[in-house]
């Protein structure tokens, strides 16, 4: 059979194997008209109260999408397509008839600066180090001289006005998948920045994870017919780390679609809320909006079109909770809120599309976490853009964006006098010890050390998936000459699998024959299903990165893999079908078509917190 026809048939089979015939396609609706300012439209938890504080749209101040508080407790906000504003907000319980919100437009006057728009167009704001950090997203506006990037604003003469602008990093990205926001590190000594999948990764000083990206998927790429996402880089959205002056940049994680914001929990661990690709809904490569625990060197597998990675793959960091359909925006911690402890331990995640503030409770699960969610605030419509816990312990948030009518709200618990002392440190336990081991391995990420391979190698078979991942990245960070023979001669099947995944990306193509020979010494049927997935992923990466083996070994590989297909579940069948099609197994087409006839959607990987029908009815 013609090879191209064979591959096309298998692609069709892979789609249908996992297609949910009962799925309802997400409705593509927008928000029209004005969002009302009445707090009666908000659905709140018991004993919580809301104030509508201000309406920037009614004062010709645009649609606000970002905010922060400065050292004097004043809010700074930004119009998505315009200026920065500084806001003085009366305390909770004030008489709104006598104490009004005061708003000042910040025309940042720099001597010799003739820009019409001094600085604005921010998706994210951070006040730290006696400075205002502005993540400018130029939205493709060609007339702006202040292009996308991270800027630092300072008041150098103590007149309470910013008089110095420093570009810390120019970034090539714009629009709603471009540059997003910056947050302060838990130790308050450095800054993290987050960007969407239309933002190219600039050259970094250091890389915690990979620095060479590819599709790493044997499934032939089918680009989006509508043209969306067809020109982006293979690395997806990303997070980087820098110091207060932007002197050194380090890539932390990549492979997101379009996360707008991120936050640290009380353990100092980083989380974000990544978006879905709604047009993929119901297809095997659809990935719901999801809460991600962002560990060092993490890769979350976003690729364009059909080439998105499965959360089950060992080189793809999994989500800790699938939320469902939506458009993620703000993420922040409730640690400093004057709320009940449940919510102080929560992360808050905003969905623009459906007007929901989710309270995400994370519980330790090995060296990572598992999560639960509940709707904390909602409204219809309520296009949420940004939120923050203020210095007074209340929650402030903004609906708006896309020039929609914008409002500033405040939510507080009872009389806003709930204690908010620092959260108690959790005593050392099994979870904290697992995190410590992961952190110890992460110290080798992007760093050459003679101790790395010996420390990481046994942890390639650790029962904890996140520790196994950290161990592999630690090994990948070392010169290949230090560990390639160790990998090729490894006898433990789980360690061998992880080592070959590393070698597929960082080894020389001349090693392919030995790599495949080593893999074929494994008794595949004796592996548990999760290790079978890992094993097939190692085979796929070897073939993708190094090409087809020579004819004799190709025949051996067909004989080794072919009898195991069909397999017990969809994840294995997806991997088998594309691998066997690639190497030319003559039985792959009839076997795949037979699966198509009996396909059922039993994919737990797409189980979500939100019910699609409920969301659509909103």
């Amino acid at each position: 059979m013609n090879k191209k026809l064979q591959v096309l048939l298998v692609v069709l089979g892979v789609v249908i194997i996992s297609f949910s015939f009962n799925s309802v396609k997400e409705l593509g609706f927008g928000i029209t008209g004005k969002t009302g300012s009445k707090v009666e439209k908000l659905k709140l938890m018991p004993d919580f109260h809301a104030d509508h504080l201000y309406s920037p749209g009614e004062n010709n101040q645009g649609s606000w999408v970002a905010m922060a508080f400065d050292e004097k407790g004043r809010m700074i906000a930004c119009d998505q397509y315009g200026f920065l504003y500084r806001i003085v907000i009366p305390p909770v319980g004030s008489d709104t008839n006598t104490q009004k919100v005061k708003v000042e437009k910040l025309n940042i006057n720099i001597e010799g600066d003739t820009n019409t728009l001094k600085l604005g167009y921010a998706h994210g704001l951070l006040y730290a180090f006696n400075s205002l950090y502005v993540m400018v997203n130029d939205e493709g506006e060609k007339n702006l001289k202040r292009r996308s990037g991270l800027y630092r604003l300072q008041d150098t003469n103590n007149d309470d006005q910013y008089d110095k602008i420093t570009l810390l990093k120019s970034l090539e990205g714009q629009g709603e998948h471009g540059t997003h926001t910056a947050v302060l590190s838990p130790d308050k000594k450095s800054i993290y920045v987050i960007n969407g999948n239309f933002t190219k990764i600039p050259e970094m000083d250091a890389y915690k994870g990979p620095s060479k990206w590819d599709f790493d998927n044997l499934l032939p790429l089918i680009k989006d017919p509508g043209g969306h996402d067809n020109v982006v880089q293979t690395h997806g959205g990303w997070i980087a780390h820098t110091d207060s002056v932007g002197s050194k940049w380090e890539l932390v994680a990549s492979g997101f679609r379009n996360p707008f914001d991120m936050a640290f929990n009380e353990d100092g661990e980083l989380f974000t809320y990544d978006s879905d690709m709604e047009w993929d809904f119901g297809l095997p490569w659809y990935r719901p909006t999801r809460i991600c625990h962002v560990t060092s060197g993490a890769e979350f597998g976003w690729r364009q079109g059909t080439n998105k990675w499965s959360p089950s793959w060992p080189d793809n960091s999994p989500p800790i909770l699938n939320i469902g359909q939506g458009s993620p925006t703000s993420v922040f911690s409730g640690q400093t809120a004057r709320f009940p402890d449940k919510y102080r331990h929560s992360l808050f995640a905003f969905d623009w599309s459906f007007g929901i503030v989710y309270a995400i409770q994370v519980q330790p699960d090995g060296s990572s976490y598992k999560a639960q969610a509940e709707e904390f605030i909602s409204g219809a419509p309520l296009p949420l853009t940004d939120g923050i816990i203020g210095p007074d312990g209340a929650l402030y948030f903004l609906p708006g964006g896309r020039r929609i009518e914008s409002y500033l709200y405040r939510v507080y618990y009872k009389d806003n006098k709930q204690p908010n002392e620092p959260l108690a440190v959790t005593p050392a336990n099994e979870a904290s010890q697992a995190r410590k081991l992961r952190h110890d391995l992460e110290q080798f990420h992007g760093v050459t050390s003679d101790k790395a391979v010996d420390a990481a190698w046994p942890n390639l078979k650790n029962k904890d998936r996140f520790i196994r991942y950290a161990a592999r990245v630690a090994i990948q960070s070392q010169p290949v000459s230090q560990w390639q023979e160790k990998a090729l001669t490894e006898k433990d099947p789980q360690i061998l699998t992880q080592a070959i995944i590393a070698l597929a990306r960082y080894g020389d193509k001349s090693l392919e024959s030995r790599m495949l020979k080593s893999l074929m010494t494994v008794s595949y049927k004796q592996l548990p299903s999760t290790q079978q997935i890992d094993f097939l992923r190692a085979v796929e990466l070897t073939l993708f990165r190094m090409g087809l083996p020579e004819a004799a070994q190709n025949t051996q590989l067909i004989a080794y893999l072919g009898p195991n297909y069909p397999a017990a579940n969809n994840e294995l069948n997806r991997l088998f079908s594309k691998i066997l099609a690639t190497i030319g197994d003559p039985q792959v087409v009839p076997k795949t078509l037979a699966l198509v006839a009996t396909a059922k959607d039993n994919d737990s990987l797409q189980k979500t917190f939100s019910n699609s029908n409920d969301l659509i009815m909103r």
Side-chain angles (χ1 to χ4, degrees):
M1 178 179 289
N2 179 277
K3 178 67 178 295
K4 290 184 178 179
L5 178 58
Q6 184 184 45
V7 171
L8 183 59
L9 285 170
V10 173
V11 171
L12 177 62
V14 171
V15 172
I16 299 176
I17 284 171
S18 303
F19 191 86
S20 173
F21 295 96
N22 295 319
S23 295
V24 179
K25 182 171 177 59
E26 180 180 19
L27 299 179
F29 59 87
I31 297 173
T32 59
K34 291 186 177 182
T35 56
S37 61
K38 297 180 181 179
V39 297
E40 288 81 4
K41 288 191 173 184
L42 300 179
K43 181 180 178 181
L44 304 173
M45 301 298 288
D47 293 322
F48 282 86
H49 308 281
D51 295 331
H52 165 235
L53 298 171
Y54 191 69
S55 302
E58 295 177 3
N59 294 279
N60 296 317
Q61 293 166 338
S63 187
W64 293 359
V65 297
M67 61 180 172
F69 280 94
D70 67 14
E71 85 287 5
K72 296 181 179 180
R74 299 171 296 186
M75 178 181 287
I76 300 173
C78 191
D79 171 20
Q80 184 176 0
Y81 307 98
F83 290 91
L84 292 166
Y85 298 88
R86 187 158 58 192
I87 306 104
V88 177
I89 301 172
V92 173
S94 299
D95 183 350
T96 56
N97 293 318
T98 58
Q99 297 190 54
K100 302 289 186 181
V101 170
K102 299 177 181 178
V103 179
E104 168 194 7
K105 183 167 74 172
L106 294 178
N107 287 316
I108 302 160
N109 297 308
I110 311 297
E111 186 175 353
D113 187 344
T114 59
N115 289 343
T116 302
L117 182 62
K118 303 299 182 182
L119 200 74
Y121 276 68
H123 277 197
L125 301 172
L126 167 67
Y127 192 90
F129 307 107
N130 201 32
S131 306
L132 179 65
Y133 293 86
V134 183
M135 282 288 281
V136 170
N137 185 316
D138 62 40
E139 298 283 353
E141 182 61 55
K142 301 299 184 182
N143 294 326
L144 290 180
K145 292 184 179 180
R146 306 288 187 193
R147 310 304 298 175
S148 293
L150 177 62
Y151 292 80
R152 184 185 189 186
L153 276 60
Q154 295 170 279
D155 174 12
T156 62
N157 59 10
N158 297 316
D159 67 349
D160 203 29
Q161 296 293 325
Y162 297 110
D163 53 59
K164 182 179 180 180
I165 300 176
T166 306
L167 173 61
L168 301 188
K169 192 73 167 180
S170 178
L171 296 171
E172 189 177 345
Q174 55 199 210
E176 292 180 355
H177 292 247
T179 57
H180 290 321
T181 197
V183 302
L184 191 63
S185 65
D187 63 6
K188 304 185 186 307
K189 295 181 179 179
S190 58
I191 295 170
Y192 287 75
V193 299
I194 192 166
N195 300 277
N197 60 314
F198 287 2
T199 310
K200 292 183 179 180
I201 297 179
E203 183 176 351
M204 296 282 173
D205 300 296
Y207 297 83
K208 289 288 190 182
S211 58
K212 296 180 181 178
W213 295 270
D214 211 327
F215 286 108
D216 289 331
N217 192 334
L218 288 174
L219 186 70
L221 172 63
I222 301 174
K223 294 184 177 181
D224 178 75
H228 179 79
D229 203 13
N230 284 349
V231 296
V232 297
Q233 305 301 300
T234 52
H235 53 63
W238 50 277
I239 294 173
H241 178 225
T242 190
D243 54 33
S244 63
V245 296
S247 65
K248 181 180 179 181
W249 285 76
E250 178 180 62
L251 185 69
V252 174
S254 59
F256 301 101
R257 189 198 179 216
N258 191 32
F260 260 69
D261 204 352
M262 55 190 159
F264 291 92
N265 73 346
E266 61 260 39
D267 295 326
E269 298 286 333
L270 182 61
F271 298 84
T272 190
Y273 181 21
D274 198 11
S275 65
D276 64 346
M277 177 54 179
E278 59 273 22
W279 302 340
D280 290 339
F281 189 59
L283 296 171
W285 48 81
Y286 173 73
R287 307 190 318 180
T289 70
R290 54 203 197 146
I291 303 298
C292 299
H293 176 205
V294 184
T295 58
S296 173
E299 160 65 76
F300 286 89
W302 173 263
R303 299 295 186 269
Q304 68 187 105
T306 57
N307 272 186
K308 301 165 190 70
W309 297 5
S310 167
S312 71
W313 295 354
D315 50 335
N316 183 12
S317 300
I320 62 170
L321 180 68
N322 286 329
I323 296 293
Q325 297 145 275
S327 296
T329 51
S330 184
V331 181
F332 55 95
S333 169
Q335 292 179 61
T336 60
R338 293 188 181 276
F339 291 175
D341 280 353
K342 173 183 178 180
Y343 297 112
R344 296 188 64 210
H345 287 284
S346 294
L347 300 170
F348 293 95
F350 283 17
D351 172 25
W352 186 89
S353 290
F354 297 105
I356 302 170
V357 177
Y358 294 103
I360 311 295
Q361 290 94 39
V362 297
Q363 300 89 33
D365 184 24
S367 73
S368 182
Y369 298 83
K370 56 186 177 181
Q372 297 177 331
E374 65 176 322
E375 290 191 18
F376 182 71
I377 302 171
S378 62
L382 193 68
L384 296 156
T385 58
D386 200 10
I388 193 172
I389 302 298
D392 58 359
L395 188 159
Y396 293 81
F397 70 90
L398 296 165
R402 296 185 180 179
R403 296 188 170 87
I404 291 172
E405 194 74 23
S406 187
Y407 301 90
L408 173 61
Y409 287 99
R410 173 171 58 199
V411 171
Y412 54 95
Y413 181 69
K414 293 186 175 179
D415 57 2
N416 201 49
K417 294 182 180 179
Q418 183 86 358
N420 66 340
E421 291 86 2
L423 293 173
V425 177
T426 303
N429 52 30
E430 185 176 348
S432 63
Q433 292 171 358
R435 286 197 301 273
K436 182 182 184 304
L437 174 56
R438 174 169 57 80
H439 292 161
D440 289 344
L441 294 170
E442 289 170 351
Q443 296 303 308
F444 300 120
H445 291 184
V447 176
T448 301
S449 170
D450 293 337
K451 300 178 181 179
V453 174
D454 288 342
W457 202 263
N459 284 298
L460 292 175
K461 64 177 298 182
N462 193 290
K463 65 179 182 179
D464 186 307
R465 175 176 178 174
F466 286 79
I467 291 175
R468 292 197 303 273
Y469 187 99
R472 179 175 53 79
V473 175
I475 290 167
Q476 290 175 181
S477 299
Q478 311 312 308
V480 178
S481 60
Q482 290 185 8
W483 53 272
Q484 74 176 29
E485 285 302 315
K486 193 175 180 69
L488 293 167
T489 58
E490 178 59 55
K491 300 303 180 185
D492 183 284
Q494 191 171 16
I495 294 178
L496 172 65
T497 295
Q498 298 292 331
I500 294 298
I501 288 173
L503 200 55
R505 288 196 172 95
Y506 291 89
D508 189 88
K509 291 184 177 181
S510 63
L511 298 173
E512 180 180 28
S513 178
R514 293 184 64 193
M515 292 164 63
L516 291 174
K517 184 177 179 180
S518 295
L519 287 171
M520 285 189 284
T521 64
V522 172
S523 178
Y524 172 84
K525 289 185 177 180
Q526 293 184 5
L527 299 176
S529 62
T530 54
Q531 290 185 34
Q532 288 178 342
I533 291 172
D534 293 0
F535 180 89
L536 291 177
R537 179 60 173 158
V539 174
E540 177 179 28
L541 282 171
T542 301
L543 296 174
F544 185 93
R545 290 277 180 153
M546 298 185 171
L548 288 175
E550 53 87 22
Q553 191 173 49
N554 196 80
T555 300
Q556 292 173 356
L557 191 58
I558 292 173
Y560 175 81
L561 293 175
N564 299 294
Y565 178 60
N569 59 59
N570 289 342
E571 280 296 300
L572 288 169
N573 284 329
R574 291 171 194 154
L575 285 162
F576 266 123
S577 61
K578 59 182 173 176
I579 291 172
L580 292 172
T582 298
I583 62 179
D585 181 359
Q587 296 300 313
V588 66
V589 171
K591 286 181 178 180
T592 301
L593 292 178
L595 278 175
V596 169
T598 58
K600 292 183 179 180
D601 181 7
N602 58 356
D603 194 348
S604 62
L605 293 174
Q606 292 195 8
K607 184 178 180 181
T608 59
F609 165 74
S610 298
N611 184 290
S612 297
N613 293 335
D614 291 344
L615 293 178
I616 289 171
M617 289 304 295
R618 290 175 187 262

